[in-house]
Amino acid sequence: MKTLLCCALLSAPALLHANPDVLAAVGRQFGASVQANVLLLKGSGSVAEPTEWTAYARDTFRPQDVLRIRVRRVDSAWQAEAAGSGSRVLDRAPQRPFDAALLKLRSEAARQEAGKAAVTAKAVFAAVDYQLAANPQTGAPEWGLALKDETGHEVGFVVVAADTGAVTFQDWTPRVTTAQRRAEEADAGERAARAVKRSARRAWNWTDNARKETGNFFRELFR
């Protein structure tokens, strides 16, 4: 059964062609300047593509603020709507917008690359959480995919370059016994390697403060 789940993730068709279409919906509703300033695109899925995405864009009028935009599939088209704004929407935000023109790899293809890496690592997963953001140094878009098992436990995290399709980072976190963990922690080299990977993984932690009151709401343009 677990093998079937992983294979399904590898082969599931992109029934909902997302990503550029989602960003285009943001532009249609809120304008080209908002679309050009999208910092982060997030979606949660199972074996299929997400049916809802959340885009976070820098407010060009108030650079300290981030706009939260919910994008849903309605009938045959993606539709965007305002979902809050303010300086506390995200605990921390990506440093720069990503260039959508460089987006060559949709989420479906990124999932397939992550699935290939999972097969090599002998990791089994049942769902994927997606994040699309810019590399802080180059500005090139990258997919960060959290691979989860049936219980929601993260078994791996893979970064895929959205312009080339190359896997640039992968970290696999299988469930281990206390004795195994202690043995790993006793090894200095293993500790150093894990610290590097933990740091790279934390770089993708942009927590949405959806339950916190935001400082400002969308102005009339975004109502």
Side-chain angles (χ1 to χ4, degrees), residues 1-221:
M1 181 63 179
K2 289 184 177 181
T3 302
L4 290 175
L5 284 168
C6 191
C7 290
L9 279 158
L10 279 169
S11 59
L15 299 177
L16 303 175
H17 297 292
N19 320 145
D21 304 1
V22 169
L23 296 172
V26 171
R28 286 195 304 272
Q29 184 67 24
F30 302 114
S33 63
V34 173
Q35 182 179 350
N37 279 281
V38 172
L39 301 167
L40 177 65
L41 186 65
K42 296 181 71 173
S44 299
S46 56
V47 295
E49 289 285 275
T51 57
E52 179 178 312
W53 294 84
T54 304
Y56 302 85
R58 182 68 65 193
D59 188 331
T60 53
F61 298 99
R62 300 183 183 182
Q64 75 276 11
D65 287 356
V66 171
L67 313 176
R68 184 197 294 116
I69 301 168
R70 187 173 295 114
V71 188
R72 295 190 178 103
R73 185 81 172 184
V74 179
D75 296 327
S76 60
W78 291 96
Q79 294 187 8
E81 61 182 15
S85 68
S87 60
R88 296 186 297 164
V89 166
L90 293 170
D91 275 346
R92 48 182 293 273
Q95 297 177 16
R96 56 199 292 184
F98 58 81
D99 187 349
L102 299 177
L103 180 58
K104 308 300 182 186
L105 210 70
R106 292 175 180 265
S107 52
E108 178 208 13
R111 183 182 69 239
Q112 290 175 348
E113 294 303 320
K116 293 175 186 176
V119 170
T120 301
K122 295 182 171 56
V124 177
F125 61 99
V128 182
D129 287 345
Y130 304 83
Q131 297 182 90
L132 179 65
N135 180 288
Q137 281 74 47
T138 68
E142 295 179 320
W143 284 105
L145 299 100
L147 312 182
K148 299 183 175 181
D149 65 15
E150 300 98 318
T151 68
H153 172 73
E154 184 176 305
V155 298
F157 190 82
V158 180
V159 177
V160 182
D163 52 351
T164 66
V167 173
T168 60
F169 173 81
Q170 52 185 303
D171 182 25
W172 305 100
T173 53
R175 295 181 185 273
V176 297
T177 66
T178 302
Q180 288 173 315
R181 185 176 294 107
R182 286 175 178 170
E184 291 177 353
E185 291 173 350
D187 184 276
E190 180 67 24
R191 288 201 308 274
R194 292 301 307 161
V196 170
K197 288 189 174 182
R198 281 196 299 269
S199 177
R201 176 65 183 91
R202 282 196 300 270
W204 284 83
N205 287 341
W206 296 295
T207 305
D208 187 322
N209 297 312
R211 296 183 181 180
K212 294 182 181 179
E213 181 181 358
T214 54
N216 300 290
F217 295 100
F218 279 60
R219 289 172 300 286
E220 192 63 34
L221 175 62

